[in-house]
Amino acid sequence: VAAEGPLMRRYEGAAQGRGVAADGWRVCLAHSFEELRQPYGAGDVPLRDVLRHIGFALRYFRWWIKKTRIEKKSAFIDLLCAVPLQQIYGCPLGGIGGGTITRGWRGEFCRWQLNPGLYHYETVIANQFTVCLRCKGQTIYQQVLSVERPSSLQGWNWGYCGHYAFYHALYPRAWLVYELPGQSVVLTCRQVSPVIPHDYKDSSLPVGVFIWEVENGRDEDVEVSIMFSLQNGMGAKEDRSGGHWNEPFTFQKDGERVAGVLLHHCPAMNPFTLAISAREKAGTEVTHVTAFNPTGLGREVWQDLLQDGRLHSPAGKSRPTEKGEVTAAAVCASCRVPAHGHKTLELALAWDMPCVHFGSKEKLHLRRYTRFFGSEGKAAPSLSHYALTHYEEWERKIEAWQNPILENSQLPSWYKSALFNELYFMTDGGTIWMEVPPDCCAEELQGPAGAGLSHLLPVLREYGRFAYLEGQEYRMYNTYDVHFYASFALIMLWPKLQISLQYDTAVTVVNEDVQPRQYLMCGQTAQVKMKNVVPHDIGDPDDEPWQRVNAYLMHNTANWKDLNLKFVLQVYRDYYLTRDSLYLRDMWPVCQAVMESELKFDTDHDGLIENGGFADQTYDAWVVHGASAYCGGLWLAAVCMMCKMAEVLGDTEIRQKYLDILNKGKEAFERMLWNGKYYNYDSSGSETSSSIMSDQCAGQWFLGACGLDEGEFEVFPKSHVLSALKTIFENNVLGFAGGAMGAVNGMRPDGVPDTSSVQSNEVWIGVVYALAATMIQEGMVEEGFRTAEGCYRTVWERLGMAFQTPEAYREKKVYRSLAYMRPLSIWSMQLALERRAGQTAAPAQLPQGPAHP
């Protein structure tokens, strides 16, 4: 309760740019007490809980001061400075792991993630597209394609009427349509990023392309110019640090030529180059302005364009900026469009930050794209050229991937939107994709105990290391209990990245970190990482990921019950979908080790693990006592998969061991938790142990995804599974918020949400998508879509949280943790649909992108 309470924010305040944090620590503390009182109704809160809460608050505050004020770093979860909700975001630009720049639905460039895992939320007003129309040698219309009316660049014509513009997004593409009022000209800007399933080259590129389709409805020819202006930097303080400069460039290869401006940004750490460019071709002219002041009136640029629809294209570099000075550049593409004709102008944005340090500044890392474009920081011209000459191929591949789903009339439109648009987090989740140094040896990667992972080095050398954040506000890489849900997107679309991530996890499992750390919730000190225990995460981007794991210090996760199980479940699921036997053989000893470690939680030796009476799983504020539907179900599913893996590998001894455990555990699970309609939350007999948990079938979800849900591998009786799912649908879905907001995590049998914790009466979007997938697997297709639709309508339509889907919300206008990993679980719905249609094809059998150029 104490950990989660301060993170809840109300929609009304956030929508106005305020969260709870805007009112400071006092409001956070007061709000937490309000949450703490909920389990006890209107009565007094027990003194021990008050003291525990105050103890956590003081420990957190002390830690926060040390972290942010003394160490000058950001908190991995910041209870005091929450990110406010801005209902402005659109489709992000860029491939996987090279950083992202988000463009809003009104066309603004407004969210920056170039330094890995760290976000800068700033709309940079100079970053705009401007159109100029000329007829018979005269400029007849010139307009910034923005509804803004800023205080800077007032020499430009701002205030485009939004009534004449329309935005559409289907990740990784977006469309902005401008009907120029009174001009009989329509502009359609199509935005494309190279996010292509099973492609491990182009999908890594830090580029975005803007294809401007110009339709001339006039009875006369018109000259059309599109000017792309960009500030050097991200709108941050370092934009004024001095030493930044711009220069024009041209790049020609294979008969194709692009021209533009490079904006060199030179901070002390992680310097980078931005490139704006356009494709030169017959009938298209490209001009530029190397440098102008984006904080001034901007009249020199405006008049330059107004005069003839061109920019004056000075040669040579700009001078470096002085401290306190900001600079910008512009590129203009121009063409003649015949009467009632159509032409295309192609522009691109690329950024080259090849070598990065994380916050600790200990190691230099090379991004994945440097394998193909070099690491010297000179790749921006070639990246621009490659993007402008390959985007058509990207679009063909994107359409070949998406069209079978889009053209399936049996699938609802909202589902098609959700399925693809939720993939934004695959790139915009602080995602990093790093090369392993060519001179790196196995011992450096494996640590002292990882020698058994024979294919670790070949996999990481070929496909690199991949990580993404739990959330843009929950800044921990590869948070494993949450990745369990999100991993379906990876294994279905980029399976080699899932395999790479699993190898990295396996390395941390077999090694340990004996360094002590105080955990904020309990105030106790314990070692950071235990051997043969799956870590909670692989680190904080403001520290040194992979080097120091478990950035999460709310709880000691060594005794969490679900982490080890989720590793085993993913190993078999990955093998089932890829048939990668080398991977399975490498992971088999690790699976045995984590399961052996997990066996200690079966304290009464009945074949079923018990929870410890504290929040010891992904619901880290929802206490569990004894046997539980969630962890117990995951345990039995993992035991079943151990039997199956042993069978595949011919390990008869281990198979028999886990078969005996499975038989005992199934009996105990049914006896202790089945109540005739569904599985109780836990076996404690407390007031809330009979709560209906929406995630009670998580084990069955994974078994069904792997074809282990019937016959000899039927762990949970089919009749019980169907009864539980129908109970959840009737109570947690239809009985909550009129059936319009998805499934609440916990519902009491009398039809009232479980308020015993701040998480039990939340809706977790990623859990709802997983629940919907389980329903589809079990033949409840209509119920599954109805369940998932509530989340989509709530997040994307009612609350305006497009491209920042949160972890959770409540019925009464409260949300938590914007831009979160777990909703990627929607891809398990697609897997379930494909299985039902008999169309499942293992990712390894699908067309593979080239590993090398």
Side-chain angles (χ1 to χ4, degrees):
V1 170
E4 298 292 338
L7 297 176
M8 304 300 297
R9 274 111 67 211
R10 306 216 172 266
Y11 302 142
E12 294 94 339
Q16 298 165 17
R18 299 174 61 249
V20 167
D23 295 323
W25 180 251
R26 179 186 59 78
V27 175
C28 285
L29 195 61
H31 188 63
S32 286
F33 272 115
E34 176 189 335
E35 302 288 1
L36 184 65
R37 185 171 285 108
Q38 285 186 8
Y40 306 100
D44 292 333
V45 179
L47 180 60
R48 67 180 184 279
D49 290 329
V50 174
L51 294 176
R52 178 169 58 86
H53 174 79
I54 292 174
F56 161 73
L58 292 175
R59 284 190 298 273
Y60 179 84
F61 190 58
R62 197 161 50 236
W63 173 84
W64 186 88
I65 290 291
K66 178 175 180 287
K67 192 77 174 174
T68 62
R69 298 298 184 262
I70 299 174
E71 297 178 11
K72 303 294 184 184
K73 295 199 172 191
S74 45
F76 76 101
I77 296 179
D78 198 328
L79 307 186
L80 305 184
C81 300
V83 176
L85 172 64
Q86 297 185 80
Q87 296 154 323
I88 64 173
Y89 298 115
C91 212
L93 290 154
I96 301 174
T100 50
I101 299 171
T102 297
R103 193 164 176 239
W105 54 265
R106 296 182 300 182
E108 66 272 52
F109 293 79
C110 49
R111 184 167 65 196
W112 306 77
Q113 190 265 135
L114 299 186
N115 288 307
L118 303 178
Y119 286 82
H120 183 67
Y121 301 90
E122 187 70 35
T123 296
V124 183
I125 202 65
N127 298 351
Q128 299 291 344
F129 287 101
T130 297
V131 62
C132 174
L133 303 182
R134 290 172 58 80
C135 281
K136 300 175 181 177
Q138 298 293 321
T139 298
I140 59 171
Y141 182 85
Q142 187 161 301
Q143 174 72 52
V144 184
L145 296 172
S146 170
V147 298
E148 301 291 342
R149 296 181 182 274
S151 57
S152 58
L153 296 174
Q154 290 190 345
W156 294 15
N157 185 24
W158 296 89
Y160 182 84
C161 179
H163 176 75
Y164 296 98
F166 308 88
Y167 181 81
H168 311 266
L170 192 70
Y171 189 77
R173 298 192 293 174
W175 295 259
L176 256 171
V177 182
Y178 302 90
E179 297 179 357
L180 303 185
Q183 303 304 316
S184 298
V185 173
V186 177
L187 307 175
T188 301
C189 176
R190 190 168 76 255
Q191 173 185 311
V192 182
S193 292
V195 180
I196 304 162
H198 310 286
D199 183 312
Y200 298 93
K201 178 196 173 186
D202 289 5
S203 291
S204 71
L205 303 183
V207 296
V209 180
F210 306 97
I211 305 100
W212 286 84
E213 307 281 356
V214 184
E215 299 174 63
N216 179 14
R218 303 170 72 98
D219 295 327
E220 57 188 341
D221 292 1
V222 62
E223 290 183 15
V224 178
S225 299
I226 301 292
M227 181 178 75
F228 184 11
S229 55
L230 193 77
Q231 184 168 311
N232 188 323
M234 299 178 283
K237 288 181 180 179
E238 66 179 26
D239 287 11
R240 298 177 180 273
S241 60
H244 313 306
W245 55 284
N246 308 334
E247 64 172 327
F249 79 93
T250 58
F251 190 96
Q252 185 163 341
K253 182 180 179 182
D254 300 328
E256 296 278 1
R257 177 183 169 96
V258 302
V261 180
L262 304 176
L263 297 87
H264 301 289
H265 198 73
C266 309
M269 191 170 85
N270 300 343
F272 61 91
T273 297
L274 294 162
I276 49 176
S277 62
R279 189 178 187 176
E280 288 188 341
K281 57 187 180 183
T284 299
E285 183 181 356
V286 179
T287 55
H288 70 270
V289 168
T290 308
F292 69 91
N293 177 13
T295 63
L297 294 175
R299 282 179 180 154
E300 69 282 6
V301 177
W302 191 260
Q303 293 299 321
D304 187 11
L305 182 65
L306 189 69
Q307 183 177 355
D308 59 1
R310 309 289 189 272
L311 299 175
H312 66 282
S313 300
K317 305 174 182 178
S318 72
R319 61 173 179 79
T321 57
E322 301 290 338
K323 190 169 184 178
E325 185 183 11
V326 184
T327 188
V331 167
C332 179
S334 308
C335 68
R336 176 176 292 274
V337 186
H340 301 285
H342 170 275
K343 281 291 183 70
T344 301
L345 296 169
E346 301 149 299
L347 295 98
L349 171 62
W351 52 98
D352 183 25
M353 184 192 282
C355 310
V356 295
H357 286 96
F358 292 109
S360 70
K361 306 179 185 178
E362 293 175 29
K363 290 187 173 184
L364 187 66
H365 301 265
L366 300 184
R367 296 194 192 263
R368 166 74 174 183
Y369 76 88
T370 62
R371 169 181 292 212
F372 315 107
F373 287 88
S375 58
E376 296 80 21
K378 300 176 182 179
S382 56
L383 282 168
S384 302
H385 183 278
Y386 190 88
L388 286 167
T389 56
H390 284 77
Y391 78 84
E392 292 167 299
E393 177 188 342
W394 298 343
E395 289 198 281
R396 284 193 295 270
K397 291 179 178 179
I398 291 168
E399 287 169 2
W401 159 45
Q402 293 185 340
N403 281 352
I405 295 170
L406 298 178
E407 293 169 1
N408 186 341
S409 60
Q410 295 181 324
L411 299 175
S413 296
W414 69 262
Y415 170 76
K416 298 170 185 178
S417 172
L419 184 70
F420 294 114
N421 282 330
E422 289 291 4
L423 274 178
Y424 84 95
F425 198 82
M426 194 57 66
T427 60
D428 204 22
T431 313
I432 51 175
W433 190 359
M434 302 303 189
E435 286 287 276
V436 171
D439 58 350
C440 182
C441 62
E443 290 73 22
E444 289 180 67
L445 294 172
Q446 292 169 341
L453 299 169
S454 61
H455 291 87
L456 167 73
L457 188 57
V459 166
L460 295 189
R461 273 185 174 165
E462 182 63 24
Y463 296 103
R465 302 181 104 167
F466 172 85
Y468 59 155
L469 296 177
E470 178 178 339
Q472 291 180 9
E473 293 190 72
Y474 287 17
R475 210 185 56 248
M476 296 156 282
Y477 274 127
N478 293 351
T479 298
Y480 203 77
D481 57 304
V482 184
H483 171 69
F484 171 72
Y485 294 84
S487 63
F488 280 89
L490 266 188
I491 195 61
M492 292 178 69
L493 302 175
W494 294 275
K496 298 300 185 182
L497 295 186
Q498 167 68 6
I499 299 296
S500 169
L501 186 155
Q502 286 285 87
Y503 268 104
D504 268 329
T505 303
V507 167
T508 63
V509 167
V510 297
N511 290 291
E512 63 180 332
D513 185 344
V514 298
Q515 302 203 25
R517 168 193 287 163
Q518 185 183 66
Y519 291 91
L520 296 174
M521 275 300 296
C522 60
Q524 297 173 349
T525 300
Q527 70 186 67
V528 172
K529 166 68 179 60
M530 301 280 288
K531 187 174 182 179
N532 296 335
V533 173
V534 172
H536 175 272
D537 58 83
I538 58 104
D540 180 346
D542 211 16
D543 186 22
E544 192 64 47
W546 293 300
Q547 191 78 11
R548 282 184 290 279
V549 303
N550 280 347
Y552 178 82
L553 48 69
M554 293 296 188
H555 300 271
N556 178 5
T557 59
N559 289 320
W560 275 23
K561 308 304 183 292
D562 58 341
L563 292 168
N564 290 351
L565 306 175
K566 288 172 175 176
F567 179 82
V568 173
L569 294 170
Q570 288 184 70
V571 165
Y572 182 74
R573 189 272 319 270
D574 298 346
Y575 166 73
Y576 175 75
L577 292 176
T578 65
R579 300 299 172 182
D580 187 338
S581 57
L582 296 176
Y583 164 74
L584 183 63
R585 290 187 182 279
D586 265 4
M587 295 297 155
W588 180 233
V590 186
C591 288
Q592 293 180 68
V594 298
M595 288 297 281
E596 197 65 35
S597 174
E598 192 81 7
L599 273 169
K600 67 178 178 289
F601 300 127
D602 179 10
T603 55
D604 55 6
H605 307 291
D606 63 351
L608 189 64
I609 62 169
E610 289 84 39
N611 289 88
F614 60 97
D616 54 359
Q617 25 72 43
T618 195
Y619 297 88
D620 55 355
W622 195 357
V623 174
V624 197
H625 298 265
S628 71
Y630 183 70
C631 290
L634 293 176
W635 162 256
L636 292 179
V639 171
C640 174
M641 290 190 183
M642 289 294 288
C643 295
K644 183 63 178 177
M645 285 188 283
E647 179 184 293
V648 170
L649 295 170
D651 195 331
T652 55
E653 183 180 342
I654 294 297
R655 184 181 185 277
Q656 189 58 52
K657 173 183 175 179
Y658 282 99
L659 195 56
D660 293 342
I661 294 171
L662 182 60
N663 289 331
K664 285 197 303 180
K666 286 196 295 185
E667 188 278 329
F669 188 79
E670 297 295 326
R671 172 171 43 84
M672 299 175 72
L673 294 168
W674 180 250
N675 64 18
K677 290 186 66 179
Y678 60 92
Y679 294 102
N680 286 334
Y681 177 67
D682 66 24
S683 64
S684 66
S686 68
E687 275 187 28
T688 57
S689 68
S690 60
S691 287
I692 307 164
M693 186 189 198
S694 66
D695 213 4
Q696 63 183 271
C697 295
Q700 178 72 6
W701 170 47
F702 250 72
L703 289 170
C706 300
L708 295 177
D709 53 346
E710 55 190 6
E712 63 174 317
F713 291 105
E714 183 178 287
V715 174
F716 310 99
K718 279 287 184 182
S719 60
H720 289 188
V721 171
L722 285 169
S723 177
L725 291 174
K726 288 175 182 175
T727 302
I728 294 166
F729 183 68
E730 291 166 3
N731 291 269
N732 301 55
V733 180
L734 299 183
F736 175 75
M741 294 184 74
V744 68
N745 282 341
M747 181 68 82
R748 299 292 303 134
D750 61 1
V752 176
D754 182 338
T755 59
S756 62
S757 84
V758 295
Q759 292 177 337
S760 55
N761 67 341
E762 290 181 328
V763 175
W764 287 9
I765 295 93
V767 167
V768 173
Y769 289 150
L771 169 63
T774 313
M775 290 176 173
I776 292 169
Q777 287 171 184
E778 302 301 327
M780 298 172 58
V781 179
E782 185 178 341
E783 293 90 338
F785 278 120
R786 172 76 183 273
T787 297
E789 182 178 3
C791 282
Y792 175 81
R793 302 287 187 196
T794 299
V795 170
W796 290 80
E797 294 180 355
R798 286 181 47 220
L799 304 182
M801 292 179 168
F803 298 100
Q804 52 184 328
T805 304
E807 157 74 320
Y809 57 75
R810 292 194 191 163
E811 182 178 5
K812 300 300 183 183
K813 296 189 174 182
V814 179
Y815 71 93
R816 178 167 59 82
S817 184
L818 291 171
Y820 200 75
M821 175 198 289
R822 205 183 316 249
L824 286 168
S825 63
I826 193 172
W827 278 87
S828 68
M829 290 180 65
Q830 184 60 25
L831 181 63
L833 290 166
E834 291 176 6
R835 278 201 68 206
R836 284 189 58 78
Q839 297 171 348
T840 40
Q845 298 171 311
L846 293 171
Q848 299 288 312
H852 299 286

